[in-house]
Amino acid sequence: MTAADLLGRVCVKLSGRDAGSKGVVVDVLDDGYVVLTGPKSLTGLRRRKVNVSHLAPTPKKLDIPRDASDEEVLKAVKEAGLERYMVERYEA
């Protein structure tokens, strides 16, 4: 899976203080980095630049525009019925 395929994909953060948190890829910066958001109001994961090697993509994908705001992402999560899924922490 390339970084371009990750737009709108729900991913699990594998490293750092947010390890185990789920977020949504809202922008692809280049082959190695993406912008990930929780959004913070739902999962506690704030919007940040993340190395794709620190992410584990899940099968779930949201239909959002590139560089979507946290409000747009939250609306898409609610429409897909994924609120509970997003809040659950992933334990490796």
Side-chain angles (χ1 to χ4, degrees):
M1 182 176 293
T2 65
D5 297 330
L6 292 174
L7 186 62
R9 178 79 54 189
V10 176
C11 296
V12 177
K13 194 142 180 335
L14 299 176
S15 62
R17 76 167 89 177
D18 298 319
S21 296
K22 292 180 185 134
V24 179
V25 176
V26 293
D27 198 5
V28 178
L29 301 178
D30 57 40
D31 263 354
Y33 291 92
V34 296
V35 177
L36 189 74
T37 188
K40 189 171 174 37
S41 61
L42 179 65
T43 66
L45 184 67
R46 66 183 175 90
R47 184 177 289 244
R48 60 174 43 162
K49 177 180 171 181
V50 179
N51 188 320
V52 293
S53 65
H54 297 168
L55 297 176
T58 68
K60 309 229 184 283
K61 188 168 183 174
L62 302 174
D63 186 26
I64 57 170
R66 186 178 189 117
D67 206 24
S69 69
D70 283 359
E71 291 78 23
E72 290 173 305
V73 173
L74 190 57
K75 182 180 176 195
V77 167
K78 287 182 179 179
E79 285 175 359
L82 296 176
E83 296 105 324
R84 179 172 282 167
Y85 176 77
M86 292 294 291
V87 173
E88 292 172 353
R89 293 194 50 90
Y90 177 81
E91 300 299 329

